[in-house]
Amino acid sequence: MELQSNVFDVWVFRRTPSRSVEYLLLHTSQEKADRWFNGGRFWQVASDITKPSERIVPAIARRLREFGLEPKSVWAAEHVYTIYNRRFDCIQIIAVYAAEVSAEGVELSPAEHAEYRWCTYEEAHDLVTYRGLKDGLRSTKEYVTGPVSPPRELQLL
């Protein structure tokens, strides 16, 4: 079985006028769910793989542009997790990042995602079902979105 270590999750967030933080969640389309997940739909975050010799910040920016988003900042969220991905029939080691954006709207590919939602930490934590996503969100809050001054050494852009 193949081991992929070039996979990443991005917890996209924005700050509201009151300075609270909202996280972007994407709901899988029924088409994607039927094709890969026995019809089970779930909430997830933006994710992708880095291309050969591609660095992480350009890879994150590339992925976010697919949603009509531009990162203002990118952070290492200090979390990595491992899963079996049935869609690709491989083991994946997924590094977690956070990216701040200022956009309201999100462009979706109907074959992949049916809807999106901006959520508080509590809402996002309740909506995601997978441990890796829950742990990645906790780490994002602990290191990036929670502190008044996140550690500068974790900022990549």
Side-chain angles (χ1 to χ4, degrees):
M1 180 177 299
E2 184 181 349
L3 174 65
Q4 291 182 340
S5 60
N6 61 337
V7 185
F8 62 89
D9 279 353
V10 183
W11 277 96
V12 176
F13 68 94
R14 67 181 184 185
R15 297 188 190 279
T16 66
S18 66
R19 302 298 296 158
S20 64
V21 175
E22 294 179 324
Y23 302 90
L24 176 64
L25 288 183
L26 307 162
H27 203 213
T28 57
S29 68
Q30 192 62 59
E31 177 182 342
K32 179 179 176 179
D34 290 343
R35 185 169 185 188
W36 300 109
F37 304 106
N38 293 330
R41 294 180 65 204
F42 53 93
W43 289 96
Q44 63 184 149
V45 297
S47 63
D48 205 349
I49 62 170
T50 56
K51 297 177 180 177
S53 75
E54 184 179 35
R55 297 187 58 89
I56 192 62
V57 171
I60 289 170
R62 171 182 51 77
R63 182 62 174 144
L64 295 187
R65 279 193 296 275
E66 294 173 10
F67 293 101
L69 302 170
E70 193 66 38
K72 292 173 26 177
S73 61
V74 174
W75 301 80
E78 289 291 283
H79 184 69
V80 175
Y81 65 101
T82 305
I83 64 165
Y84 167 72
N85 188 320
R86 67 185 293 153
R87 182 176 182 179
F88 302 106
D89 189 28
C90 67
I91 300 295
Q92 293 180 325
I93 300 171
I94 303 172
V96 179
Y97 298 89
E100 184 173 5
V101 300
S102 57
E104 294 288 323
V106 176
E107 298 171 14
L108 299 178
S109 167
E112 289 286 317
H113 301 103
E115 62 184 305
Y116 70 90
R117 185 183 298 182
W118 290 101
C119 304
T120 64
Y121 172 84
E122 292 79 13
E123 292 167 331
H125 190 270
D126 288 345
L127 285 172
V128 294
T129 55
Y130 300 112
R131 182 183 47 142
L133 290 174
K134 288 181 183 293
D135 291 346
L137 174 60
R138 274 192 289 274
S139 190
T140 296
K141 182 179 180 188
E142 180 178 350
Y143 289 101
V144 181
T145 61
V148 173
S149 297
R152 288 181 22 201
E153 60 273 21
L154 296 180
Q155 187 172 5
L156 307 175
L157 169 69

